[in-house]
Amino acid sequence: MSCEETNISKKNIIIALLGTLVILILFCGAIFNSFTAKKITVNKFENSNDANIKYCIDSQEHDNISNYVTIKGWAFIDGEEIKTFNCHLVLRDKENGDCMELPTKLVIRKDVTDAFKALENKFNYDKSGFEGKVSLNKLNKPISNYEICLDYMNNNSRIFLKTGILLSEKGK
């Protein structure tokens, strides 16, 4: 191999490594953005606890290492199968009403369907589960100032549901 071929080979390796680095940085930015809570305005849509929504906030799990709280639960409109999942957890500041939408993902909950089938309900609620995370570093008030709410938009509905459940301190 000549000196010129070796230099071209080194240049190709450097270009490939730089390209990989740029892709990695963009990927990390996208991942970070998906874990970032964002402020939302609630008065743009129906704010109703009168809707026929069944829900449960199952757990609030604290991760002491990453300083995140993971909130898990389920929600559905009684008598309506969920075809399109679009539900977000929202933290609402009790003092000023400011709302922060959390990155929320679908969790398949066959147990919810099974539980309601036992009550003579024939609908499939497997897509009713959700899980969301929030960094405690993003909260500018004590954790107990925040109410867990749901922005329920499944099947093109749009309902904001105040659960009355507060974000809890570690271990509670």
Side-chain angles (χ1 to χ4, degrees), residues 23-141:
I23 290 170
L24 183 62
I25 290 170
L26 291 173
F27 178 74
C28 289
I31 294 292
F32 176 76
N33 191 37
S34 71
F35 285 115
T36 304
K38 65 180 180 180
K39 190 172 181 177
I40 63 168
T41 304
V42 174
N43 62 2
K44 291 183 180 175
F45 49 90
E46 181 181 353
N47 185 355
S48 173
N49 282 15
D50 298 330
N52 199 15
I53 293 183
K54 297 200 181 300
Y55 69 92
C56 179
I57 302 299
D58 290 323
S59 66
Q60 299 180 46
E61 300 168 359
H62 293 262
D63 183 336
N64 296 330
I65 296 169
S66 65
N67 209 26
Y68 272 84
V69 175
T70 301
I71 303 166
K72 297 178 181 180
W74 53 265
F76 62 84
I77 294 177
D78 195 20
E80 180 179 281
E81 223 166 278
I82 299 171
K83 293 180 181 20
T84 307
F85 174 83
N86 192 4
C87 186
H88 292 279
L89 285 160
V90 175
L91 295 182
R92 183 180 163 276
D93 184 325
K94 293 186 312 182
E95 292 175 4
N96 61 21
D98 286 349
C99 291
M100 182 184 338
E101 181 181 277
L102 307 183
T104 308
K105 68 179 184 178
L106 167 67
V107 176
I108 299 297
R109 296 288 304 261
K110 293 183 184 297
D111 61 313
V112 175
T113 299
D114 292 343
F116 283 89
K117 277 189 178 174
L119 300 173
E120 304 297 322
N121 192 322
K122 61 185 180 281
F123 295 97
N124 182 333
Y125 298 125
D126 290 358
K127 294 181 183 175
S128 65
F130 53 80
E131 178 180 312
K133 283 186 169 189
V134 63
S135 168
L136 296 178
N137 299 329
K138 297 283 184 188
L139 304 179
N140 55 9
K141 295 189 178 175

Side-chain angles (χ1 to χ4, degrees), residues 136-168:
L136 296 178
N137 299 329
K138 297 283 184 188
L139 304 179
N140 55 9
K141 295 189 178 175
I143 193 170
S144 59
N145 274 39
Y146 295 93
E147 176 185 10
I148 299 171
C149 299
L150 294 172
D151 185 3
Y152 186 93
M153 299 174 284
N154 293 343
N155 297 344
N156 297 317
S157 296
R158 189 75 194 252
I159 300 164
F160 186 79
L161 181 70
K162 297 176 185 176
T163 67
I165 299 169
L166 300 178
L167 207 52
S168 66

